[in-house]
Amino acid sequence: MIKASYEVLQPSVSQSFLVKKFDKLAFDAPYHFHPEYELTCILKGSGKRYVGSHMEDFVSDDLVLLGPNLPHCWKLDIANVSPEEASAIVIQFNDAFLGDDFFNKFELLHIKKLFQKSGCGVSFHSETQQEVKQMLQSLVEERSNFRVLIGLLEILQRLASSDEYILLDQHRVIAERSTAEQERINPVFAYLVENFRKQVSLDAAASIANMTTNAFCKYFKKVTRKTFMETIIEYRLNYAIQQLVQTDKPISEISYESGFGDVSHFYKMFKAKMNLSPLNYRKRFMRNLAGSAKKLSA
């Protein structure tokens, strides 16, 4: 079974944290976690971002801060972006890389609060997104380790002072779990991330959690506030919505590619969530897109 991988990070001997520009390797990583904070900026690429129990589309300029042990991965949509074109800048550090009490200083109060929010995963947008992207690009080119350190602190302060963000895993489904609970639930979400478009087995998920199916269903509902099947349906519908607006594939093909074995069931589930049929959702999206284009050209 696929499990959430524990990643061991190795900064260079001359730095106390890791800052690096990645090509497609950044997107090859499985659903994984590590005890360090991580700031990721997508320079090129689009697809699905998974953070804890949260799934969302991402495009170029995606900027996300993740807290320690929060499972995550970015999956490229290879139908629209070739792996060779994809790239990202990633910074990884622990909260004690400048000393155990460094971020407890009064002057760094806002950064400390930012770290607390990062347990949910924080996605930044608008001016913050663009400004920090430029700062990160400069940081990657910087040769002075001292300047890199100062640059990281400036980036963290810029993020900490911003109100242009959304929290991703808002219910903190995984962030607030104990270490033992994370070790149990993380592999289950890894299994879902890798398999929701295929045949997903309740027995397999329960086996991964080392529980009986009845105990697992109760446990999963307690942790996520959703049933196991509701979570699978949500993942599949989210994927289907992306396909509806980004491709011209037939509805039936999208249904099967998203993991629905029956098209009529897909229609029923989609309409219950979106209050529109898949076809009408696509038509409305295209009308809105055309209307926006006219306003921009006027």
Side-chain angles (χ1 to χ4, degrees):
M1 293 293 179
I2 295 171
K3 297 197 173 185
S5 304
Y6 178 85
E7 184 178 42
V8 179
L9 307 177
Q10 296 290 341
S12 69
V13 294
S14 59
Q15 287 183 319
S16 53
F17 57 95
L18 185 149
V19 52
K20 193 171 182 181
K21 182 177 179 180
F22 288 91
D23 53 15
K24 67 184 184 71
L25 290 175
F27 307 92
D28 287 342
Y31 186 75
H32 66 285
F33 63 99
H34 41 73
E36 292 82 6
Y37 292 89
E38 176 175 307
L39 178 63
T40 295
C41 178
I42 306 300
L43 301 179
K44 293 180 182 179
S46 64
K48 287 288 184 187
R49 178 192 347 102
Y50 301 85
V51 173
S53 64
H54 184 270
M55 177 177 70
E56 187 176 52
D57 295 345
F58 77 88
V59 294
S60 297
D61 297 342
D62 193 50
L63 180 67
V64 173
L65 177 67
L66 303 170
N69 296 316
L70 183 57
H72 58 279
C73 66
W74 277 255
K75 296 287 187 183
L76 279 179
D77 178 10
I78 57 176
N80 295 318
V81 181
S82 70
E84 290 73 23
E85 295 176 345
S87 62
I89 295 175
V90 178
I91 297 181
Q92 294 162 324
F93 57 94
N94 63 50
D95 56 3
F97 79 99
L98 290 175
D100 290 337
D101 295 321
F102 183 81
F103 287 104
N104 290 326
K105 302 290 190 294
F106 178 79
E107 294 84 353
L108 302 172
L109 177 63
H110 293 300
I111 294 179
K112 186 75 172 180
K113 290 181 178 179
L114 173 68
F115 287 169
Q116 292 169 352
K117 294 174 187 172
S118 71
C120 298
V122 189
S123 176
F124 296 90
H125 56 84
S126 304
E127 290 184 9
T128 303
Q129 185 185 60
Q130 295 304 316
E131 288 179 19
V132 172
K133 176 186 175 182
Q134 292 178 6
M135 295 169 77
L136 286 168
Q137 289 175 317
S138 297
L139 206 64
V140 170
E141 302 300 325
E142 180 59 61
R143 292 293 171 259
S144 165
N145 289 329
F146 175 77
R147 295 295 178 191
V148 171
L149 173 59
I150 297 302
L152 173 57
L153 292 176
E154 289 177 339
I155 286 171
L156 292 176
Q157 181 62 21
R158 177 66 182 88
L159 295 175
S161 62
S162 173
D163 58 3
E164 298 172 334
Y165 68 85
I166 58 170
L167 299 180
L168 299 178
D169 194 4
Q170 294 191 33
H171 297 300
R172 300 178 76 91
V173 168
I174 293 179
E176 294 186 348
R177 301 297 110 193
S178 67
T179 301
E181 285 183 316
Q182 285 187 14
E183 289 175 352
R184 172 168 281 174
I185 199 67
N186 284 355
V188 174
F189 275 104
Y191 171 68
L192 288 178
V193 166
E194 299 294 342
N195 293 283
F196 72 89
R197 295 172 58 198
K198 310 170 190 174
Q199 187 69 35
V200 178
S201 165
L202 174 60
D203 289 340
S207 176
I208 290 170
N210 198 26
M211 304 174 79
T212 66
T213 53
N214 286 338
F216 172 74
C217 288
K218 293 177 182 177
Y219 173 75
F220 192 88
K221 179 70 178 289
K222 176 187 174 184
V223 170
T224 67
R225 302 180 180 88
K226 299 174 187 175
T227 67
F228 183 66
M229 185 53 64
E230 284 172 343
T231 302
I232 295 169
I233 295 296
E234 187 173 288
Y235 271 42
R236 288 173 173 170
L237 289 175
N238 197 317
Y239 184 87
I241 289 170
Q242 180 194 42
Q243 295 299 299
L244 282 168
V245 302
Q246 294 184 2
T247 75
D248 58 0
K249 294 177 182 177
I251 304 299
S252 59
E253 185 178 342
I254 291 174
S255 170
Y256 291 121
E257 285 189 359
S258 302
F260 292 95
D262 181 74
V263 178
S264 61
H265 183 237
F266 170 57
Y267 267 85
K268 181 180 178 181
M269 293 294 99
F270 193 96
K271 196 164 186 178
K273 178 180 174 67
M274 307 304 297
N275 295 317
L276 283 171
S277 70
L279 185 58
N280 286 332
Y281 181 89
R282 173 182 270 171
K283 288 179 178 177
R284 188 178 72 173
F285 178 84
M286 297 307 294
R287 284 197 303 268
N288 291 341
L289 192 63
S292 299
K294 284 182 180 179
K295 288 180 181 178
L296 289 173
S297 61

